[in-house]
Amino acid sequence: MKDVRTPTSSSYHDYLISSLKDPEHATAYLETFLELEAEGREPELLRSALKDIIDVKLLLNNLSQEAKQRYEQLDKLLSESGGTEIYTLIEFLDALGYRIALVSKD
């Protein structure tokens, strides 16, 4: 039998942060959390995903002061509301026959 190692949470987080350096991967990662069905949504997951993206931008020294301020505002809103505004918008657009799609500007 092969010696199989389970990644520790630290090594997984390192891997995740490394992979999010690729703008396409980061875009797909965020889209995943925006496309969750109502029963699969957890506000903390969306907040965590956004924090991961911010961590990568900080690591790459690629976070403007404006982006940092907007993130802080959004994080506060998400912590208070659980993201209901964002998910309500997504559900409304879905009912109209649309969906949110993220596209990297890079």
Side-chain angles (χ1 to χ4, degrees):
M1 186 172 171
K2 281 188 168 181
D3 181 25
V4 178
R5 292 185 179 193
T6 304
T8 64
S9 61
S10 175
S11 65
Y12 172 75
H13 188 260
D14 292 345
Y15 164 78
L16 177 64
I17 296 301
S18 176
S19 68
L20 293 177
K21 290 177 183 177
D22 174 6
E24 287 183 26
H25 190 94
T27 300
Y29 179 69
L30 283 178
E31 263 188 329
T32 300
F33 294 96
L34 294 175
E35 293 176 349
L36 291 174
E37 296 295 327
E39 58 275 353
R41 293 181 190 147
E42 293 184 37
E44 287 304 311
L45 291 178
L46 179 57
R47 287 182 69 207
S48 178
L50 292 169
K51 175 80 168 87
D52 291 338
I53 298 296
I54 292 300
D55 287 347
V56 168
K57 295 285 190 181
L58 286 170
L59 183 68
L60 297 174
N61 198 23
N62 188 18
L63 185 67
S64 70
Q65 189 61 32
E66 180 183 3
K68 183 178 180 187
Q69 289 173 342
R70 300 280 183 210
Y71 166 71
E72 290 169 354
Q73 291 171 337
L74 180 59
D75 187 59
K76 182 179 179 190
L77 286 171
L78 290 174
S79 70
E80 293 170 355
S81 73
T84 56
E85 297 89 347
I86 292 171
Y87 290 119
T88 300
L89 173 62
I90 291 169
E91 290 168 356
F92 170 66
L93 293 173
D94 183 59
L96 292 175
Y98 299 101
R99 72 180 180 99
I100 295 283
L102 296 180
V103 179
S104 174
K105 291 170 53 174
D106 295 341

